[in-house]
Amino acid sequence: MMKLGMEPVLGVHMVTIKKNGHPFIIQSPTVFKHPTSGNYVVFGAANIVNEKSTKNQPAVPIEPPIPTEPVTCLDVDEDEWVDESEMNPLDIEFLMSKCEFPRAKAVKALKDADNDMIIAYFKHMGFN
């Protein structure tokens, strides 16, 4: 897959795919991501989930790992104008609400993460 330009995605423990209203779960998948298109390729054994048996069971909370490195703050002046021309406004709003960033800081975080909102969010949370 790497010869095709796909990059491995580390840290994925489970993938859920819904097809025709039926969820399929892949435990411990091997995941690759295309660096420019945002497409993913997932390898693993898919299991059909019986929704009736899982509806009455309480969800098991998964606690994220505690970051070992200190969380770094982005150095951006809150009043500074930044170019948002090639960014999704919903991604900016998400970072502003979830990370409590001012708009300029959210845009800077997205630029540093190559417009990938998930990477920007996790970098803020300390998962570098």
Side-chain angles (χ1 to χ4, degrees):
M1 293 302 291
M2 294 171 80
K3 289 182 180 180
L4 297 173
M6 304 291 281
E7 299 173 351
V9 179
L10 304 176
V12 179
H13 302 288
M14 179 175 66
V15 172
T16 303
I17 301 171
K18 205 168 214 185
K19 173 124 172 124
N20 297 332
H22 300 288
F24 294 87
I25 294 182
I26 302 172
Q27 296 286 345
S28 302
T30 303
V31 182
F32 293 91
K33 179 183 184 288
H34 192 273
T36 58
S37 69
N39 293 328
Y40 291 84
V41 176
V42 179
F43 294 101
N47 299 314
I48 298 175
V49 177
N50 184 356
E51 289 183 349
K52 292 178 183 175
S53 67
T54 58
K55 282 186 178 177
N56 296 331
Q57 295 177 355
V60 178
I62 298 174
E63 298 200 17
I66 299 171
T68 56
E69 299 175 10
V71 178
T72 58
C73 244
L74 300 171
D75 296 326
V76 176
D77 184 14
E78 292 182 18
D79 297 328
E80 176 184 342
W81 181 86
V82 287
D83 182 26
E84 306 173 9
S85 61
E86 296 182 16
M87 296 189 177
N88 185 344
L90 295 175
D91 291 348
I92 297 169
E93 295 295 327
F94 175 85
L95 288 176
M96 288 174 63
S97 66
K98 296 296 181 187
C99 300
E100 299 178 3
F101 281 170
R103 189 168 197 87
K105 194 172 186 180
V107 171
K108 172 89 167 90
L110 281 169
K111 281 186 179 184
D112 290 347
D114 295 327
N115 290 336
D116 190 327
M117 184 230 357
I118 303 297
I119 291 175
Y121 175 75
F122 280 115
K123 279 187 178 179
H124 167 70
M125 297 303 294
F127 301 102
N128 297 336

